[in-house]
Amino acid sequence: MRSGGLVSRMEGDRIVVNGFAAGGNPGVSAARGASNDHSLESLKLEHQLVRVPYEHLKKSLRTSTRMVEKEVNAVVAGVAVAVDKNLSKQEAVEQLTSLVSRLQGLKRKLDESNKLEHVQVQRCRARMDHLTMLRDGDKDCQKKWNELRVDRIIVDYLLRNCYYSTAQLLTESSNIQELCDADIFVDAHRVIESLRKKDCSEALAWCTENKSKLKKYKSKLEFKLRLQEFIELVRSERMMDAIIYARKFLSPWGSTNLKELQQAMATLAFKSSTDCAGYKAFFEDSQWDSLVEQFKQEFYKLYGMTNEPLLHLHMQAGLSALKTPFCYEESCTKEDPLSQENIRKLAEPLPYAKHIHSKLVCYITKELMDEDNPPLVLPNGYVYSKKALDEMIRAEGKITCPKTGYVCSMSEVHKAYIS
């Protein structure tokens, strides 16, 4: 595929563009040796940045191809019918005029589709140029790139949490419109809002639109949606409509989801007022919440996105080095990020950091206490660094414990030994 200077080739689920790879495990060839290792490692985290417009482009191409096949087959069939029939001159003109109008309609649709595809190609090119800036740029370029990366991560978080206006303001102020994907999140939000209103129509239309991909991933989303519509018919006691619906839409899923289907069909006898836990669960409102979550997971998978916001993933990377059992004790200082409840929740699935040697940080200077800056113990038991106490002596002529107000001299303190 070649468009506007962007050269790419498709390799299964991978896209290789201008020397970068996206899809599967993205890889980047080192260009500047050891000095650029950090930048190259950063690029490996940018899988989603390139994958999203690529998947959007593939989806648009698939839609265009299906549309062309459908319309061309209809036109060919119309011509065959006209040839087989003994049509009058007037009837033949009307038939051909109808077919020409159909082809003109196809041309208009393809022109619109071509504009959308061009936008996605431009996004791919803009993102490859953005990644090249990190690989080939100087320190100033890399600093600018990192600033834009923070903005992109925040925009991703805002879009996933439906703060579209705020996300738009940030993308415009940072001029990163082509590096963000607000449009697909808006489409997803429409489906989510529909499900929250207990309406499956938007979600089912989305499943139809992405049927081939969902089938490849062995997704059960469409089955769950059909099952929920069946349950709603049972809830409203429209039993015959529910049976007809099940025969039409649920029976094709019998070979892969037979047990769940059998349980759902039993609700025809138990109804929504049942106290039987196994069947009562089908009628709980939490089923709609489960559908919303399942749609989100399928949506992220479809576009090659992470299940969690990028902001959470980057924060967890840092928290993994900070999390220790001490963080959950009452004596944990306020300076520790893990003293905050929302940060603790984010760090909950992370393992504790492995610290082979104890590390002490001075409460006053916030600097590490080591052999060059040893920890000193005050008579009241509190420990501070030698650097902090020396500065305190120079400034005040005495040592005052900032925690308790205890006053002493340097001759009264003792060196602490930490293993």
Side-chain angles (χ1 to χ4, degrees), residues 71-329:
E71 294 298 323
V72 169
N73 288 339
V75 169
V76 171
V79 171
V81 169
V83 170
D84 292 340
K85 290 184 178 179
N86 187 18
L87 300 177
S88 65
K89 182 177 180 180
Q90 181 64 27
E91 290 174 333
V93 169
E94 290 177 355
Q95 178 76 354
L96 291 174
T97 301
S98 173
L99 295 176
V100 169
S101 297
R102 189 158 190 167
L103 289 174
Q104 289 174 338
L106 174 61
K107 183 179 181 300
R108 284 193 299 272
K109 292 178 181 177
L110 288 176
D111 288 340
E112 293 174 3
S113 178
N114 184 59
K115 291 178 182 178
L116 295 175
E117 291 165 12
H118 181 71
V119 169
Q120 297 307 322
V121 170
Q122 287 297 106
R123 282 187 181 177
C124 284
R125 182 167 63 179
R127 295 179 188 201
M128 300 318 299
D129 291 342
H130 178 66
L131 296 179
T132 303
M133 181 174 74
L134 177 66
R135 187 186 67 174
D136 299 335
D138 55 20
K139 288 185 177 180
D140 289 337
C141 285
Q142 292 177 6
K143 181 180 178 182
K144 177 64 176 175
W145 191 91
N146 285 323
E147 291 173 354
L148 293 178
R149 182 189 212 177
V150 172
D151 290 340
R152 288 192 290 107
I153 290 171
I154 294 173
V155 168
D156 174 79
Y157 178 83
L158 292 171
L159 290 173
R160 289 176 187 248
N161 289 277
C162 305
Y163 298 115
Y164 300 113
S165 299
T166 307
Q168 184 178 359
L169 289 173
L170 181 54
T171 55
E172 290 174 356
S173 64
S174 301
N175 194 27
I176 53 173
Q177 292 91 331
E178 291 192 326
L179 303 180
C180 301
D181 303 287
D183 50 343
I184 64 171
F185 279 101
V186 171
D187 291 340
H189 180 63
R190 186 177 64 251
V191 175
I192 291 170
E193 285 301 303
S194 175
L195 289 173
R196 286 173 176 165
K197 293 176 182 177
K198 300 183 178 180
D199 178 10
C200 294
S201 57
E202 290 283 355
L204 286 169
W206 185 85
C207 288
T208 301
E209 187 179 346
N210 299 282
K211 195 176 187 68
S212 60
K213 272 283 186 180
L214 294 175
K215 185 176 181 181
K216 178 181 177 181
Y217 295 142
K218 298 181 180 179
S219 169
K220 294 177 63 176
L221 178 60
E222 184 179 353
F223 170 70
K224 293 289 187 179
L225 292 167
R226 294 295 184 187
L227 198 64
Q228 190 61 40
E229 288 203 324
F230 168 80
I231 292 297
E232 294 305 312
L233 290 172
V234 175
R235 190 197 304 275
S236 58
E237 298 189 358
R238 295 165 55 188
M239 302 307 181
M240 286 306 301
D241 289 341
I243 292 171
I244 293 171
Y245 184 92
R247 286 173 176 170
K248 183 176 181 180
F249 295 110
L250 292 178
S251 57
W253 296 90
S255 59
T256 55
N257 301 277
L258 183 59
K259 185 176 180 180
E260 195 170 356
L261 189 55
Q262 288 174 333
Q263 288 180 320
M265 293 305 296
T267 59
L268 289 167
F270 284 91
K271 300 184 180 180
S272 60
S273 58
T274 180
D275 291 326
C276 183
Y279 300 102
K280 186 178 181 179
F282 282 102
F283 298 99
E284 292 178 352
D285 287 341
S286 59
Q287 294 293 330
W288 289 100
D289 296 330
S290 298
L291 286 175
V292 169
E293 288 305 313
Q294 186 167 357
F295 167 75
K296 287 180 179 180
Q297 299 304 312
E298 298 296 346
F299 170 77
Y300 297 147
K301 186 186 294 185
L302 189 73
Y303 285 103
M305 302 168 71
T306 58
N307 290 334
E308 292 292 324
L310 294 175
L311 181 62
H312 285 183
L313 296 179
H314 283 78
M315 289 183 68
Q316 286 177 330
L319 291 172
S320 64
L322 300 176
K323 183 180 177 182
T324 63
F326 175 75
C327 297
Y328 294 86
E329 296 179 5

Side-chain angles (χ1 to χ4, degrees), residues 393-413:
I393 288 288
R394 283 195 296 269
E396 303 175 11
K398 59 184 179 181
I399 298 172
T400 303
C401 177
K403 285 281 191 177
T404 65
Y406 181 87
V407 179
C408 65
S409 63
M410 183 61 84
S411 62
E412 297 178 78
V413 303

